[in-house]
Amino acid sequence: MTKMTTKRTILSLSLVSILALSSCLKEHDTNVSTEDFSPTFVSLVFPRGNSTVNSGPQYFNSAGLQYSADAATAVETFLIKVGGAGEFNSDITATVGVDATKIADNTDGVVYELLPDSTYEITSTSVVLPAKERTAEGTITFHPNKIDPTHTYVLPVVIKDAGGTTIASNINTIYFRVALKNRYDGVYSLRMRLEEWTAYGISTGVSGPFPKAIELTTNLANTVTHFNTNFNTELQPGFTGTPGVITGSTQFGAASPEYIFDNATNKLIDVKNTIADDGRGRTFKLNPAVTDSRFDPTDKIIYAAYMMTQTGRPNLLIYDTLTYTGSR
């Protein structure tokens, strides 16, 4: 397994950003007044690119992270920030930790579990904010290759103590939601050949490029589902035409392929239909006449030979070559 390390770069923040964050505070018995900028308080925020994501339940969706499932480590940086117009004349030490009760703040309707403590370390549990400084950085290290992709996890991180300094209660929680991408996940160009359905207006005997990209999306650690950007559906793509001639592109209803790989060998070991039978009996299965369907990790190409069944028709033989063009 290839070990990968992800490092996010944190950009400096202007006083304008700090004042903007202060203006997001709501009246609360543990918050400073939104009308008075003279008090000085600390908050916890998650920088992303050129902007700063506030914390609190209204920003639950803002700290979603995606990593390769093969990555050994992924490091994220958070900030302890000074709010208000004043400043501290001495160092402030902020103690940072996990607050499992914050899972209840969820606003997106998904049932989350607390991220297991074996899959991360808060490498900066105590962050020192130097006197007269307005920001200080802390880090958290995730271990994606130890995370079970079949679960939906969240890690709520808060300032637990700031040595008596006021903590802004509604800018004090980052909800780290870790999603994994397996090695097959990505955007691909598709070259395809179909056989055996000439009688139904489907091109046979010739391969050609599909007009738009296919997106393969991680489902489990070794499976990806199929998204057809030409029609913006998850349906199996195809070509219309006659023997040796492609006249257009099409898709097959009630048929959405999920590729299942053996992670140890990168072989494609099964293809399943993720859509329930609508009465036509459409299923997918590997083509037994082709024994080398696989993912080539060097060139990032998937070679897939499989078939779609339908009651009363011969099997539609599908020969796909999917070439990786980038991440989703």
Side-chain angles (χ1 to χ4, degrees):
M1 179 178 293
T2 302
K3 292 188 175 181
M4 301 168 58
T5 300
T6 303
K7 180 73 177 178
R8 300 289 174 94
T9 302
I10 307 306
L11 302 181
S12 61
L13 300 170
S14 67
L15 179 60
V16 173
S17 298
I18 294 166
L19 293 176
L21 281 171
S22 301
S23 69
C24 290
L25 287 170
K26 300 175 182 177
E27 296 286 357
H28 189 280
D29 58 2
T30 59
N31 285 342
V32 297
S33 170
T34 58
E35 303 301 322
D36 181 1
F37 291 103
S38 59
T40 302
F41 55 94
V42 291
S43 61
L44 178 67
V45 295
F46 177 53
R48 171 176 284 187
N50 293 320
S51 63
T52 298
V53 175
N54 293 359
S55 64
Q58 67 270 43
Y59 300 103
F60 187 90
N61 296 322
S62 297
L65 306 170
Q66 285 195 325
Y67 305 123
S68 166
D70 293 336
T73 60
V75 179
E76 298 291 345
T77 300
F78 55 84
L79 296 181
I80 305 297
K81 291 175 55 67
V82 175
E87 61 184 19
F88 296 112
N89 293 318
S90 59
D91 293 356
I92 299 296
T93 299
T95 302
V96 177
V98 175
D99 183 351
T101 67
K102 294 292 185 179
I103 293 178
D105 290 344
N106 176 15
T107 59
D108 65 3
V110 177
V111 177
Y112 288 90
E113 300 174 60
L114 186 67
L115 188 68
D117 56 14
S118 61
T119 64
Y120 71 91
E121 298 101 26
I122 300 178
T123 42
S124 305
T125 54
S126 293
V127 179
V128 177
L129 181 67
K132 301 186 183 299
E133 295 293 326
R134 301 201 68 89
T135 63
E137 294 184 359
T139 57
I140 180 169
T141 300
F142 295 99
H143 301 291
N145 61 354
K146 296 181 179 180
I147 297 173
D148 185 344
T150 65
H151 293 251
T152 306
Y153 293 116
V154 67
L155 186 71
V157 175
V158 302
I159 301 175
K160 292 196 167 187
D161 182 76
T165 301
T166 300
I167 301 170
S169 66
N170 64 341
I171 309 182
N172 185 42
T173 308
I174 302 172
Y175 306 89
F176 289 107
R177 295 174 299 108
V178 179
L180 301 182
K181 290 184 177 183
N182 63 35
R183 71 192 69 166
Y184 320 106
D185 191 297
V187 180
Y188 290 78
S189 63
L190 169 63
R191 190 169 186 86
M192 177 173 52
R193 175 169 62 90
L194 305 172
E195 300 290 353
E196 305 297 337
W197 272 30
T198 302
Y200 309 103
I202 301 302
S203 173
T204 59
V206 61
S207 66
F210 198 66
K212 291 188 178 180
I214 300 297
E215 294 182 357
L216 299 184
T217 302
T218 297
N219 185 25
L220 300 176
N222 66 323
T223 72
V224 282
T225 56
H226 210 273
F227 185 79
N228 173 347
T229 66
N230 192 54
F231 297 104
N232 290 322
T233 72
E234 295 181 346
L235 298 178
Q236 169 67 45
F239 290 133
T240 57
T242 58
V245 178
I246 295 172
T247 59
S249 57
T250 188
Q251 59 185 347
F252 299 98
S256 178
E258 179 180 17
Y259 294 164
I260 302 170
F261 294 89
D262 180 338
N263 278 344
T265 64
N266 292 312
K267 289 190 67 173
L268 181 65
I269 58 174
D270 202 1
V271 181
K272 292 185 177 179
N273 188 1
T274 64
I275 298 178
D277 185 10
D278 67 351
R280 286 179 284 182
R282 286 186 168 176
T283 65
F284 291 110
K285 59 183 179 180
L286 284 180
N287 185 335
V290 180
T291 59
D292 63 346
S293 291
R294 68 197 186 278
F295 170 69
D296 180 339
T298 302
D299 295 327
K300 291 194 170 183
I301 298 175
I302 294 173
Y303 302 95
Y306 57 103
M307 56 183 68
M308 185 180 77
T309 68
Q310 180 170 330
T311 304
R313 292 189 182 185
N315 293 334
L316 173 66
L317 305 184
I318 302 165
Y319 301 91
D320 284 354
T321 301
L322 295 124
T323 302
Y324 182 86
T325 60
S327 61
R328 288 185 299 110

